[in-house]
Amino acid sequence: MDLSVSISDGVARLEMRRPPANHFDEALIGQVVDAALGLDDDPACRVIVLASEGKHFCAGADFGDGEFTRDVVAAAERLYRRAAQLFDVRTPIVAAVQGTAVGGGLGLACAADFRVAEPSTRFVANFARLGFHQGFGTSVTLPEIVGRQAAADMLLTGRRIDGAEALRIGLADRLAEPGRLHETARALAAEIAASAPLAVRSIRATLREGLAARVRAALEHELAEQKIHWATRDSAEGIAASLERRQPVFHGE
């Protein structure tokens, strides 16, 4: 298993264990989804903390190895089908984001209700720098969290947002002192867990009404655009440049 699950004092901890980058695929996202949906029916769980082992929260899909190198479209279709189920989870989720949340990893963090970061955390919507349309529902979730203009800034430039800027624009809800990320995330989760659980779920459902349907529609559109872009020279260049740790040179082809 690439995921550990533990519960204490009303707070469940789901920890992804594929360090250092915690790249995901359908299998890992499926484990997260199944665990979270199972916790919906566990009276011992009132809040979920989504965390990861190692240096980084999540670097998204691995375009240098695994199923995304064999058939990227089929792999993305399977991944998005499972990812959509994250938005069916009824329990509040707090993401503890260390290191970087890149691409789909940013999308995963944005699927949570809250994000806790450190000053050194980096949030990166690098899709355009890889030569293709954004995915993992970020077309909906990112502007929902930070607003249209800040989302456009992140998506069109692909620049890194550090913890302080993330807090300022609303992408991070708490900024932990260095080394206290998980403690801070758990403290936020404990605050939520101390509230009336029926009221918490009802309020959350009201605030997120229609979100799952909008994300599912966005995922279909995102994948359709990605299918086009993955066949371009720019996408091949962007992915190659990322793997080779160099600046991409795009030609609009």
Side-chain angles (χ1 to χ4, degrees):
M1 294 289 287
D2 294 319
L3 183 76
S4 69
V5 183
S6 60
I7 306 176
S8 176
D9 298 326
V11 178
R13 178 182 173 88
L14 303 185
E15 183 177 71
M16 298 181 290
R17 292 184 167 177
R18 287 186 179 177
N22 289 293
H23 286 292
F24 60 47
D25 53 17
E26 179 202 5
L28 179 55
I29 292 300
Q31 289 179 42
V32 173
V33 165
D34 290 343
L37 288 173
L39 289 166
D40 277 345
D41 299 318
D42 189 336
C45 174
R46 294 187 176 188
V47 185
I48 295 169
V49 172
L50 178 61
S52 55
E53 182 182 44
K55 184 177 180 180
H56 301 291
F57 174 73
C58 181
D62 187 352
F63 289 95
D65 190 24
E67 61 183 31
F68 279 84
T69 64
R70 294 188 290 270
D71 188 338
V72 64
V73 172
E77 286 176 337
R78 293 192 297 269
L79 173 68
Y80 288 171
R81 184 171 57 248
R82 291 295 262 156
Q85 294 178 287
L86 278 171
F87 297 88
D88 298 326
V89 175
R90 303 190 308 276
T91 306
I93 301 174
V94 176
V97 186
Q98 83 276 21
T100 56
V102 184
L106 171 65
L108 178 59
C110 287
D113 298 84
F114 302 96
R115 284 146 298 283
V116 178
E118 294 179 298
S120 61
T121 299
R122 298 292 183 267
F123 297 90
V124 192
N126 67 334
F127 304 97
R129 300 293 292 175
L130 295 175
F132 56 85
H133 192 282
Q134 70 269 16
F136 212 94
T138 49
S139 301
V140 169
T141 57
L142 188 59
E144 182 92 1
I145 295 165
V146 304
R148 181 175 177 178
Q149 286 304 110
D153 182 346
M154 292 183 67
L155 288 165
L156 297 181
T157 67
R159 69 184 181 88
R160 298 183 174 208
I161 302 295
D162 65 19
E165 184 173 1
L167 183 68
R168 179 176 62 79
I169 67 176
L171 185 54
D173 299 281
R174 300 286 191 278
L175 192 63
E177 296 179 6
R180 300 188 63 185
L181 174 71
H182 297 290
E183 179 183 342
T184 305
R186 182 174 178 81
L188 172 56
E191 286 187 65
I192 299 168
S195 295
L198 296 180
V200 165
R201 287 200 178 189
S202 178
I203 292 167
R204 180 182 187 269
T206 298
L207 292 174
R208 292 168 72 97
E209 183 178 6
L211 179 61
R214 288 189 290 125
V215 167
R216 283 184 164 90
L219 286 167
E220 291 186 12
H221 173 73
E222 289 170 349
L223 183 58
E225 292 298 303
Q226 288 177 337
K227 286 179 180 179
I228 296 170
H229 297 154
W230 282 328
T232 66
R233 291 178 61 188
D234 273 356
S235 179
E237 164 64 9
I239 292 171
S242 176
L243 295 173
E244 295 165 10
R245 299 184 181 277
R246 61 174 174 82
Q247 290 296 315
V249 180
F250 297 122
H251 298 284
E253 300 174 348

